[in-house]
Amino acid sequence: MNLLIALIPALCWGLNPTIVGKIGGKPIQQQLGTALGATLFAVVIYVVMHPELTPSLIIGCIISGAFWSVGQLLQYKSYGVLGTGKAFAISTGLNLVLNSLFGVCVMGDWAKANQKIIGFAALAVIICGAVLTSYSENKEECDLKKGVLILLIAAVGFTGYSCAPAFVGAGGIQAVFPQAIGMIGGSLILSLLESKEIKKFDAVTFKNMIPGLVWACANIAMIYANKLNGVAIGFTLSQMAVVVSTIATLVILKEKKSHKELVHTILGTIVVAIGGVMIGFTK
């Protein structure tokens, strides 16, 4: 059951890029819409559940949300540079490396030798799968370098987002509301750095509240998964979203791929799935 909970974010986050792509808008509009949707979800949860909040928990989760705002905005920007499917695949690999290393080195995950062997082998398999899905016959080195740099910084943001709640022992329900404060606050600050010509609260911004609600469902499941399984396992399994995202971008967004690119994408998706199964054996 614990591992099934850890797979919920994979489904929701995997569909999220496709939903955002169908709605459209500038990255900052997508960001603000996602944050608003997640905040609405958080307010409802807080009013209904009345979770007990401590000062340390509030601070830790606000920091988590602020880190997320940086990571998510940069990920949205990377879609325009690399394409949704390719950017999400590369993002998956970078997030896996940073989050898992943090979980193992700082949080004490994979304490036993056999867990480390299986875990790091699984990471290598998943990263190889992500690289395969990102294969492109059209080599655009400048765009690739720019995209990877954007996603590397985004991965740092996502690492702070996923690990900060663990430092204060935040449970799923408790973390949602203060985390949303950090998300919307960070997003609003980042919006001030964008061009004034972009309408920050246009109709498309509010349409992007839909992926925000989808994201929120994944978020609460991942917080629970990290608490139940550890950061390395919880976050790693959530990155199985690359499988869902790859299929969704091909079927729904209809991203064009050559026969060779399609073969690499399908093979990479299978490899990622195998790595995800391997992660389960570290529990």
Side-chain angles (χ1 to χ4, degrees), residues 117-139:
I117 293 172
I118 297 173
F120 283 113
L123 285 180
V125 170
I126 293 173
I127 292 171
C128 287
V131 171
L132 283 170
T133 62
S134 69
Y135 172 80
S136 175
E137 289 188 294
N138 184 19
K139 304 297 183 182

Side-chain angles (χ1 to χ4, degrees), residues 16-36:
N16 204 59
T18 300
I19 298 172
V20 169
K22 292 294 286 186
I23 294 173
K26 300 292 185 181
I28 190 60
Q29 294 171 324
Q30 297 168 339
Q31 166 79 3
L32 288 168
T34 302
L36 286 170

Side-chain angles (χ1 to χ4, degrees), residues 238-251:
S238 76
Q239 297 306 291
M240 291 288 286
V242 69
V243 178
V244 179
S245 176
T246 298
I247 295 172
T249 53
L250 288 173
V251 176

Side-chain angles (χ1 to χ4, degrees), residues 22-55:
K22 292 294 286 186
I23 294 173
K26 300 292 185 181
I28 190 60
Q29 294 171 324
Q30 297 168 339
Q31 166 79 3
L32 288 168
T34 302
L36 286 170
T39 300
L40 176 62
F41 179 93
V43 170
V44 172
I45 290 293
Y46 182 76
V47 171
V48 173
M49 303 299 294
H50 294 293
E52 183 179 351
L53 302 176
T54 63

